[in-house]
Amino acid sequence: MPSYTAPIKDLQFVLHDVLKISEQPIDGFDELDRDFTAAVLEEAGKLASEVLAPLNAVGDTEGCTLENGTVRTPTGFKAAFDQMRSGGWTSVDCDPAYGGQGLPYALHTATQEPQVSANMAFNMYQGLTHGAYSAIWWHGSEAQKQTYLPRLTTCEWTGTMNLTEPHCGTDLGLMRTKAEPHDDGTYRITGQKIFISAGDHDLAENIIHLVLAKIPDGPDGIKGVSLFIVPKFLVNEDGSLGDRNAVSVGKLEKKMGIHGNATCVMNYDGATGFLVGEAHKGMRAMFTMMNEARLGVGLQGYAQAEAAYQNALIYAKERLQGRDVMGAKNPDGPADPLIVHPDIRRNLMEQKSFIEGARALTVWGAYLIDRAHRLNDEAADGLISLLTPVIKGFQTDLGFQSCVQAQQVYGGHGYIEETGMSQFARDARIAMIYEGANGIQALDLVGRKLAQSGGKHIMAFFELVKTECKSHADDPRMEPFVEPLKTASKQLQQAAAYFMQAGMKNPNNALAGSYDFMHLMGHVCLGLMWTQMAKAAYSALDSGEEDTDFFNAKIKTGQFYMARQLPACAAHLARIESGAETVMGLEEAQF
């Protein structure tokens, strides 16, 4: 069975050495000193390694079952869910007015990583609930908040998001689910939704479905979509549970991975629903859930890779295979450990440098959300809006790739289920698909986000990178970071300029290069993170920090990323500038 240990020192490094989180002039951040965050993360790590990780293989093997209309989760999930709830892990950043702890979203994000690494399928029940909580907090009425938020905060009730239908996924304007107005101000929801994660289960007393549907005679397409609260059990005025609503599970999907999470077909047969926000403005409210979920899915990408990497590293140190070409490192044994071989080192370094860079980018993204919400910082809000498709798309692509690389370290044993490496790869694969497939993320980035506010946010990003590079001009130690970052940033700017010129003539020139642009920008983002991490590591060494191995390892890992990974930007630029001609060259019949 794979093992897992929460990377608390790495999380602390990002929070305090890189982001200097307790020094930020934001309400509540002054409480986040090193001792406090260390204590919180230690407990989160214990829950992950001692409770959730042992259930990961159980969930994968047993899966969920549908019995008499109710979904049963795998053995041990209910007890673990209760333990997570009682520990307060569902309410870290929730509003104290509804029973939350009111801590920053950045800390919530840091505590989520160990749970996702240990048991991604299990964590999804809580993660989706947090998204439903946020949508109602931002867009619900005061009565709706009072009814639902206290129990969503504690996960006494859980939540879902219902978008996809059998005939439409991304193009939600095609949806057929209807919401017929009723005399009492409620609506009758009729239709079918598919691929609903955590759609039903036995972990909570009630499930609060957030459902997109169309009110008759509303505008056509996406402009006619509204959002509704549709509880599994109706809620009485005193907060107790009432009658079962007309919502049921049609079937459980059999999936490639995340077997411990119930992915359901949901049937709404005149179910009672309650409008959230304004009629025909449902996408505005749903995007509150989706944007939060996309950051969370980006976290899933590197968190699964972290778990896989940890086990691949152990295997590489223990498995004896061949001899070091520079001389035996284990002369008393029959062979040297795998880790002596350069190609194994390359494989492990690619994983390590991606994971640690992605961790920094994700926590920084959560910090930007805190700035946007707690300070009404429009610049931070614009920047995280720009970065969200990159965090989701780039990190899940490379997260899956890293899981496959970790599996490769095991050789044939990685293909055998009992080692657990297959599960990491299978579970990570969905992150590239749900919450908007990665091709959609790339189109969103190039088609919407680059031009948003007249290009203000992408220009702010370029300026941020430029300022970072200039700040290290007098430190020769930083040259291996600054020079590659300058080059990569110029390549990203060149790609954006190409879209402005060639895309105006033929939009396909931009769309054909969108996926490469997402990856190019992802590499620049991680290059920026590694530059900041290297500076933080040098500063720690200069101040006399005792753990020199940790900080020197950060610097060397960053140097690897800048030298070996960042040059991929040139290839992405070349593909972008080749335009759409070869992509669109075949006639449909020629495929």
Side-chain angles (χ1 to χ4, degrees), residues 94-100 132-154 157 208 210 229 235 237 239 274-277 285 288:
C94 295
D95 191 338
Y98 306 106
Y133 160 92
S134 296
I136 296 172
W137 192 92
W138 282 102
H139 302 283
S141 67
E142 188 56 38
Q144 289 171 341
K145 292 178 184 180
Q146 293 294 338
T147 298
Y148 299 105
L149 293 190
R151 289 183 170 114
L152 289 173
T153 294
T154 61
W157 298 348
I208 310 305
L210 291 187
I229 294 171
V235 182
E237 289 187 11
F274 306 88
L275 180 66
V276 178
T288 297

Side-chain angles (χ1 to χ4, degrees), residues 194-384:
I194 64 170
F195 305 153
I196 308 307
S197 300
D200 196 78
H201 53 79
D202 55 3
L203 303 179
E205 294 178 356
N206 202 4
I207 301 174
I208 310 305
H209 301 289
L210 291 187
V211 183
L212 288 179
K214 287 186 173 181
I215 300 171
D217 301 323
D220 292 333
I222 201 69
K223 293 181 179 180
V225 173
S226 302
L227 182 65
F228 300 87
I229 294 171
V230 187
K232 177 179 178 178
F233 290 96
L234 297 171
V235 182
N236 297 320
E237 289 187 11
D238 63 359
S240 63
L241 296 184
D243 294 335
R244 175 73 184 257
N245 208 350
V247 52
S248 61
V249 181
K251 73 168 184 173
L252 279 177
E253 301 290 2
K254 295 182 179 179
K255 313 183 297 291
M256 176 179 176
I258 55 168
H259 296 153
N261 194 270
T263 304
C264 303
V265 174
M266 303 300 299
N267 294 323
Y268 295 88
D269 300 305
T272 300
F274 306 88
L275 180 66
V276 178
E278 298 179 47
H280 317 308
K281 303 292 185 182
M283 289 309 299
R284 181 186 305 169
M286 185 58 82
F287 265 112
T288 297
M289 284 188 76
M290 291 175 67
N291 285 333
E292 178 181 312
R294 285 169 178 173
L295 187 77
V297 173
L299 186 150
Q300 287 180 339
Y302 83 80
Q304 282 296 283
E306 167 69 30
Y309 167 75
Q310 286 188 16
N311 288 276
L313 179 60
I314 293 170
Y315 189 82
K317 289 180 176 181
E318 294 179 350
R319 173 74 168 179
L320 301 182
Q321 198 78 51
R323 288 293 188 190
D324 187 338
V325 296
M326 302 300 289
K329 295 297 188 293
N330 180 33
D332 296 331
D336 289 332
L338 280 171
I339 200 167
V340 305
H341 304 301
D343 192 60
I344 295 292
R345 292 288 189 100
R346 172 203 57 78
N347 184 326
L348 292 170
M349 286 295 285
E350 287 182 0
Q351 295 175 60
K352 179 178 173 64
S353 63
F354 159 68
I355 292 162
E356 293 178 15
R359 175 178 295 119
L361 179 59
T362 303
V363 178
W364 179 49
Y367 161 75
L368 290 173
I369 290 174
D370 279 322
R371 286 194 66 90
H373 292 172
R374 294 180 179 236
L375 296 179
N376 293 318
D377 186 333
E378 293 183 5
D381 189 54
L383 188 54
I384 189 56

Side-chain angles (χ1 to χ4, degrees), residues 8 12 16 153 200 205-206 292 317 322 324 365 429 470 526 543 546 558 575:
I8 294 167
Q12 286 281 83
H16 296 286
T153 294
D200 196 78
E205 294 178 356
N206 202 4
E292 178 181 312
K317 289 180 176 181
D324 187 338
R429 184 64 182 87
K470 281 186 175 181
L526 262 60
S543 67
E546 294 182 0
R575 289 200 285 258

Side-chain angles (χ1 to χ4, degrees), residues 498-522:
Y498 171 81
F499 288 154
M500 291 294 293
Q501 296 165 7
M504 293 293 289
K505 299 175 183 176
N506 179 0
N508 280 340
N509 284 325
L511 300 181
S514 61
Y515 212 94
D516 279 287
F517 188 87
M518 180 178 72
H519 273 250
L520 201 169
M521 188 166 178

